[in-house]
Amino acid sequence: YSRTWLPFFRDMLLHPLLKTDSFSLTLAGILSCVWLAGSLVILFHKLLGYRRCRRLTKLFPQISDPAVIRIFESVQEDIFPGGKVSFRLVRCSRFPTPALWGVRHPVVLLPDIDYTEDELRCVFIHELLHYKLCHFLLKILLDLLTIVQWWNPVLIFFFLPAVHQIQELSTDAQLVRMTTQSQRSAYLSGLHKTLQYAKTKARFPQNIHFGLLPNRKKALIFQRFNYIKAAPARHNSILGVILCFVLFMLSFTFVLETSYPVRMDEVGDDSCTFKCCCYVTCPICAGAV
């Protein structure tokens, strides 16, 4: 089928729809213009959102409650010993969940929720672990990928939500290892308070994808609750390491590439035939079979 369909799609994309002496309009050119226009619109929207959130974080008042500051400094010393990273702790009524913003000058945003001391400690652990695991930097990289691949439904509807959920689960996994059973119960209580508070907020900025903001589906939120309650085993899986190594080696065994074998026609001229070949490559000697 590659000898028929691939050349057909190539000719269809490159077939001139409108042709003049100095200009030729093709379907490939139209699609390229649509992709470029969409990328520019998404880029402008992302930059505007980042600028808006940065301005809002500067306007929010810094928290001056001694009890909250004491808990935050205690958590910061546990995660970043020696004060290697300087955070700003602000109170924000515009966001329904705690959130983290920034890379060079990170800001922890705390909504108007009446947390207990144990709940507040777990909230701070969760947000500082986001920074330690470079999740905000990964969010920027994902936004750049979205600008280029905005037309890809697999990326938008499956890959990005999966990455956001994995970020939350990886942070919860670190938190489970750092806390006791009573503190985990307090963390679950804090999550419940956050969900109840988020329901009262009709509108809020959509540019910060941490906390519970991207997890609209109940199944994703219940997954986090069940994961924290289950307290997964704290050991590395040797079987998982072996499986990842085997999959890594197998990824080098199949190479799909096109080839253009030269053949002679009836007149004696060269004629190129397009076909797609699959080579099975030995991962040791890199020899094609």
Side-chain angles (χ1 to χ4, degrees), residues 215-260:
N215 299 337
R216 295 291 184 174
K217 296 182 179 180
K218 292 184 178 180
L220 299 179
I221 299 177
F222 286 150
Q223 183 184 26
R224 291 187 58 191
F225 273 85
N226 293 329
Y227 182 82
I228 297 170
K229 289 171 59 178
R234 306 175 186 180
H235 58 81
N236 296 325
S237 174
I238 303 299
L239 181 60
V241 174
I242 296 175
L243 178 61
C244 291
F245 178 77
V246 172
L247 292 177
F248 176 75
M249 296 302 297
L250 291 178
S251 65
F252 293 94
T253 58
F254 294 93
V255 179
L256 291 173
E257 60 180 12
T258 58
S259 63
Y260 300 88

Side-chain angles (χ1 to χ4, degrees), residues 70-88:
R70 174 179 54 81
I71 298 174
F72 181 77
E73 290 178 349
S74 175
V75 173
Q76 183 179 359
E77 182 64 26
D78 293 338
I79 300 179
F80 300 98
K84 298 180 180 179
V85 184
S86 177
F87 292 89
R88 284 185 64 240

Side-chain angles (χ1 to χ4, degrees), residues 45-57:
H45 176 73
K46 293 292 183 181
L47 292 178
L48 188 64
Y50 276 98
R51 183 175 179 271
R52 180 189 178 192
C53 283
R54 183 180 180 183
R55 185 175 66 252
L56 287 176
T57 55

Side-chain angles (χ1 to χ4, degrees), residues 63-195:
I63 295 178
S64 58
D65 188 350
V68 176
I69 295 177
R70 174 179 54 81
I71 298 174
F72 181 77
E73 290 178 349
S74 175
V75 173
Q76 183 179 359
E77 182 64 26
D78 293 338
I79 300 179
F80 300 98
K84 298 180 180 179
V85 184
S86 177
F87 292 89
R88 284 185 64 240
L89 182 60
V90 301
R91 179 76 65 178
C92 55
S93 58
R94 298 283 299 274
F95 291 88
T97 70
L100 174 75
W101 174 262
V103 177
R104 296 182 56 187
H105 304 288
V107 180
V108 176
L109 305 168
L110 192 65
D112 294 328
I113 301 177
D114 187 18
Y115 291 116
T116 65
E117 290 191 5
D118 288 338
E119 294 171 353
L120 195 59
R121 179 177 179 82
C122 292
V123 167
F124 289 149
I125 292 176
H126 183 89
E127 298 307 324
L128 294 189
L129 285 176
H130 271 309
Y131 184 84
K132 184 177 182 180
L133 298 175
C134 301
H135 286 172
F136 191 85
L137 181 60
L138 179 60
K139 168 183 160 38
I140 296 176
L141 297 177
L142 291 175
D143 284 342
L144 294 177
L145 181 61
T146 304
I147 293 171
V148 179
Q149 294 277 328
W150 59 268
W151 51 269
N152 189 345
V154 176
L155 174 72
I156 303 300
F157 298 106
F158 296 97
F159 181 74
L160 294 182
V163 172
H164 292 152
Q165 181 68 357
I166 290 173
Q167 286 181 340
E168 297 302 325
L169 291 176
S170 63
T171 306
D172 290 337
Q174 294 280 350
L175 186 144
V176 166
R177 296 185 180 96
M178 297 176 57
T179 54
T180 62
Q181 181 63 37
S182 61
Q183 290 175 333
R184 288 195 291 270
S185 299
Y187 181 52
L188 291 174
S189 175
L191 288 179
H192 182 264
K193 286 184 179 180
T194 304
L195 287 173

